[in-house]
């Protein structure tokens, strides 16, 4: 369902962040993207999320080329793709409820439908009693769970996570990965860019390693190294 064909990215300063990447990810797969800092992991996720464009090559989602998307169509495409960041990116002056409902307001759903969706994802991440809290009143792990709830509230086919456990302690990191695995069992394709060797080695999944912008390993039930 996600296919990268000879994707390269050359930045304005001439730096090649991705170099001829071929990668196919099937519907419902869980994949770790590993590799040292600067290997191109974020660049790859950003391209699937359409915040960066390839300099060369093509990305297909269900045989549909992202190159053919107009600027206007990008927000519609993104309803199908959730993204989680290392630094959460929650709106600080909105409650937990509002942070999640925000994504649904543009869909012109009724109030009761929005409420039902928000409460359903909050229950899934185990934070249904935090609706009125502000992000600053939550722990790092709780904030990340809210981000996950926000990312999946539209029931996207694809969930991308860029270093989701980077700022978390080991136990909370486990909780987050188990939550992502649980979401994966709902047939959501999950791609996690991570440095977290402990988790990659213990929660074994497909591992794609990038090195200097190239895929240097693609292994099912792989380890970090
Ligand atoms: P990773 O996520 O694996 O750490 P990134 O995708 O963030 O790697 O970055 C890949 C490389 O591209 C890095 O060397 C980074 O410095 C470079 N890079 C990223 N964005 C830009 C940019 N806008 N301009 C120039 N170089 C960039």
């Amino acid at each position: 369902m996600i296919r990268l064909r000879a994707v390269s990215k050359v930045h304005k300063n001439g730096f090649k962040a991705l170099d001829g990447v071929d990668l196919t990810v099937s519907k419902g797969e869980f994949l770790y993207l590993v590799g040292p800092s600067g290997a191109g992991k974020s660049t790859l996720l950003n391209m699937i999320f359409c915040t960066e464009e390839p300099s060369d090559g093509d990305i297909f989602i269900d045989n549909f080329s992202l190159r053919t998307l107009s600027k206007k169509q990008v927000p519609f495409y993104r309803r199908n793709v959730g993204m989680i960041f290392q630094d959460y990116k929650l709106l600080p002056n909105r409650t937990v409820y509002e942070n999640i409902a925000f994504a649904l307001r543009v869909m012109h759903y009724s109030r009761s439908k929005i409420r039902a969706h928000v409460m359903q994802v909050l229950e899934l991440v185990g934070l249904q009693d935090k609706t009125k809290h502000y992000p600053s009143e939550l722990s790092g792990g709780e904030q990340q769970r809210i981000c996950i709830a926000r990312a999946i509230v539209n029931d996207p086919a694809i969930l991308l996570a860029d270093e989701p456990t980077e700022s978390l302690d080991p136990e909370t990191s486990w909780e987050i990965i188990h939550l992502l695995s649980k979401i994966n069992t709902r047939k959501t394709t999950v791609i996690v860019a991570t440095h977290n060797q402990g988790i990659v080695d213990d929660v074994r999944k497909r591992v794609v390693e990038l090195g200097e912008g190239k895929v240097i390993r693609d292994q099912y039930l792989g380890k970090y190294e």
Side-chain angles (χ1 to χ4, degrees), residues 100 116-126 149-150 152-153:
I100 300 169
H117 273 73
V118 173
M119 293 316 293
Q120 193 201 1
V121 288
L122 275 174
E123 215 162 289
L124 184 79
V125 303
R150 180 182 59 181
I152 62 168
V153 73

Side-chain angles (χ1 to χ4, degrees), residues 2 4 6-11 17-19 21 40-61 66-67 69 74 77-78 81 83 160:
I2 305 174
L4 280 76
V7 169
S8 295
K9 177 71 181 182
V10 183
H11 286 294
L18 285 180
D19 186 3
V21 170
K41 304 183 295 296
S42 300
T43 305
L44 198 155
L45 294 186
N46 290 342
M47 283 188 188
I48 299 173
F49 198 54
C50 264
T51 44
E52 287 189 58
E53 272 180 38
S55 316
D56 214 345
D58 234 327
I59 299 175
F60 298 92
I61 308 291
L66 293 187
R67 279 195 182 281
L69 278 184
V74 169
Y77 162 72
R78 286 216 189 106
V81 188
M83 180 91 160
L160 308 170

Side-chain angles (χ1 to χ4, degrees), residues 150-188:
R150 180 182 59 181
I152 62 168
V153 73
N154 277 326
D155 201 15
I158 301 167
L159 181 58
L160 308 170
D162 196 356
E163 304 279 2
T165 63
E166 186 73 356
S167 321
L168 304 173
D169 60 68
E171 200 179 315
T172 314
S173 299
W174 280 107
E175 286 171 21
I176 294 299
I177 292 297
H178 282 126
L179 187 52
L180 295 176
S181 299
K182 189 163 132 191
I183 292 162
N184 176 240
T185 63
R186 308 182 339 156
K187 305 271 179 258
T188 309

Side-chain angles (χ1 to χ4, degrees), residues 20-172:
V21 170
D22 289 305
L23 181 68
T24 302
V25 186
S26 307
K27 192 170 171 57
E29 241 184 323
F30 190 116
L31 180 152
Y32 292 120
L33 203 53
V34 304
S37 193
K41 304 183 295 296
S42 300
T43 305
L44 198 155
L45 294 186
N46 290 342
M47 283 188 188
I48 299 173
F49 198 54
C50 264
T51 44
E52 287 189 58
E53 272 180 38
S55 316
D56 214 345
D58 234 327
I59 299 175
F60 298 92
I61 308 291
D62 286 340
N63 293 322
F64 177 87
S65 166
L66 293 187
R67 279 195 182 281
T68 63
L69 278 184
S70 67
K71 272 214 167 73
K72 262 192 178 164
Q73 289 172 312
V74 169
F76 293 94
Y77 162 72
R78 286 216 189 106
R79 289 179 191 176
N80 225 19
V81 188
M83 180 91 160
I84 304 161
F85 306 91
Q86 170 187 337
D87 56 355
Y88 319 131
K89 296 197 196 302
L90 291 167
L91 301 169
N93 51 358
R94 302 280 178 103
T95 62
V96 161
Y97 185 90
E98 278 304 319
N99 263 283
I100 300 169
F102 195 70
L104 294 173
R105 301 245 186 258
V106 290
M107 312 276 280
H108 305 295
Y109 286 167
S110 68
R111 234 176 224 232
S112 60
K113 191 167 178 183
I114 290 178
R115 180 148 200 94
H117 273 73
V118 173
M119 293 316 293
Q120 193 201 1
V121 288
L122 275 174
E123 215 162 289
L124 184 79
V125 303
L127 291 175
Q128 61 272 39
D129 56 341
K130 303 282 187 195
T131 50
K132 293 194 171 73
H133 286 63
Y134 286 87
S136 60
E137 298 170 325
L138 303 176
S139 69
E142 287 170 337
Q143 290 188 55
Q144 192 55 294
R145 277 148 71 191
I146 298 301
C147 290
I148 295 173
R150 180 182 59 181
I152 62 168
V153 73
N154 277 326
D155 201 15
I158 301 167
L159 181 58
L160 308 170
D162 196 356
E163 304 279 2
T165 63
E166 186 73 356
S167 321
L168 304 173
D169 60 68
E171 200 179 315
T172 314

